[in-house]
Amino acid sequence: TQLLEQSPQFLSIQEGENLTVYCNSSSVFSSLQWYRQEPGEGPVLLVTVVTGGEVKKLKRLTFQFGDARKDSSLHITAAQPGDTGLYLCAGARNNDMRFGAGTRLTVKP
Amino acid sequence: GAGVSQTPSNKVTEKGKYVELRCDPISGHTALYWYRQSLGQGPEFLIYFQGTGAADDSGLPNDRFFAVRPEGSVSTLKIQRTERGDSAVYLCASSLVSGGYNEQFFGPGTRLTVL
């Protein structure tokens, strides 16, 4: 059983569409991170959220941390083919991180 | 080097053999993490070091897996009596200090295939 559940598992959309992916848990985390991973490479950090209810924006990406610090969402506006990849959330407890299984996003031109 | 490097990039071995996977973290990073990623899954935590000591090894699946970081820099993940189920990409990451607020920088991974 995954500590962090990500949904949907797969998402295929057309260029220009908006999308939201989710990261849920029954556990409370001191912080939560979102990573993006491309084939053959390690994950690359996109954002860290720390405060319950926090919203962070990174260009067309908007990240939200749930009030209770158990869940998070990532919203992408006007998706582009370059957004294609595996999006992973990771929750911090103590000094280590636990990852979800990821959402595999494909944006078709 | 600018980033985390891992060697070899690919390793094919036979069931029952011993393998060593190496990780060179970013210079000056005190925390080092090992993860295992199976196809279609997120990274699964194995062990992390703060300096030379293993601060948390709760993710190691069994006693066939062992990792060392003798000088607080390079780390080696050792797998004895490999099994087909050990086949995965083994990722290493480092961060300046430990703690979930800190960015982990990942290497490209070692793809291990056990025949």
Side-chain angles (χ1 to χ4, degrees), chain B residues 89-107:
Chain B
V89 175
Y90 288 80
L91 293 166
C92 174
S94 69
S95 63
L96 195 57
V97 293
S98 62
Y101 305 94
N102 296 288
E103 179 176 2
Q104 293 188 23
F105 294 83
F106 282 82

Side-chain angles (χ1 to χ4, degrees), chain A residues 16-19 56-63 74-84 87 105 107:
Chain A
E17 293 182 4
N18 301 333
L19 66 112
K56 279 192 174 179
K57 293 195 174 185
L58 185 65
K59 296 183 180 177
R60 293 176 294 101
L61 279 59
T62 301
F63 304 85
L74 160 58
H75 181 79
I76 302 179
T77 303
Q80 300 176 0
D83 295 327
T84 293
Y87 288 82
L105 172 66
V107 182

Side-chain angles (χ1 to χ4, degrees), chain B residues 75-89:
Chain B
S75 177
T76 304
L77 178 65
K78 307 180 181 191
I79 311 174
Q80 298 176 324
R81 304 183 304 280
T82 52
E83 300 177 356
R84 291 193 179 88
D86 298 336
S87 296
V89 175

Side-chain angles (χ1 to χ4, degrees), chain A residues 64-105:
Chain A
Q64 185 160 7
F65 201 12
D67 291 342
R69 306 205 318 274
K70 293 182 179 181
D71 53 81
S72 181
S73 64
L74 160 58
H75 181 79
I76 302 179
T77 303
Q80 300 176 0
D83 295 327
T84 293
L86 178 66
Y87 288 82
L88 296 159
C89 67
R93 296 197 308 181
N94 301 318
N95 288 322
D96 54 79
M97 305 292 292
R98 297 291 187 269
F99 282 81
T103 292
R104 188 164 298 279
L105 172 66

Side-chain angles (χ1 to χ4, degrees), chain B residues 18-100:
Chain B
Y18 168 82
V19 295
E20 289 190 354
L21 312 179
R22 176 187 168 108
C23 173
D24 281 82
I26 293 173
S27 178
H29 280 195
T30 64
L32 184 147
Y33 306 80
W34 282 101
Y35 296 88
R36 176 170 69 175
Q37 188 172 24
S38 300
L39 194 63
Q41 297 295 314
E44 173 194 3
F45 170 78
L46 296 177
I47 184 172
Y48 101 89
F49 291 87
Q50 179 58 49
T52 61
D56 184 349
D57 65 357
S58 62
L60 294 177
N62 51 60
D63 61 5
R64 296 186 298 106
F65 288 75
F66 189 71
V68 295
R69 194 186 185 200
E71 297 179 359
S73 179
V74 171
S75 177
T76 304
L77 178 65
K78 307 180 181 191
I79 311 174
Q80 298 176 324
R81 304 183 304 280
T82 52
E83 300 177 356
R84 291 193 179 88
D86 298 336
S87 296
V89 175
Y90 288 80
L91 293 166
C92 174
S94 69
S95 63
L96 195 57
V97 293
S98 62

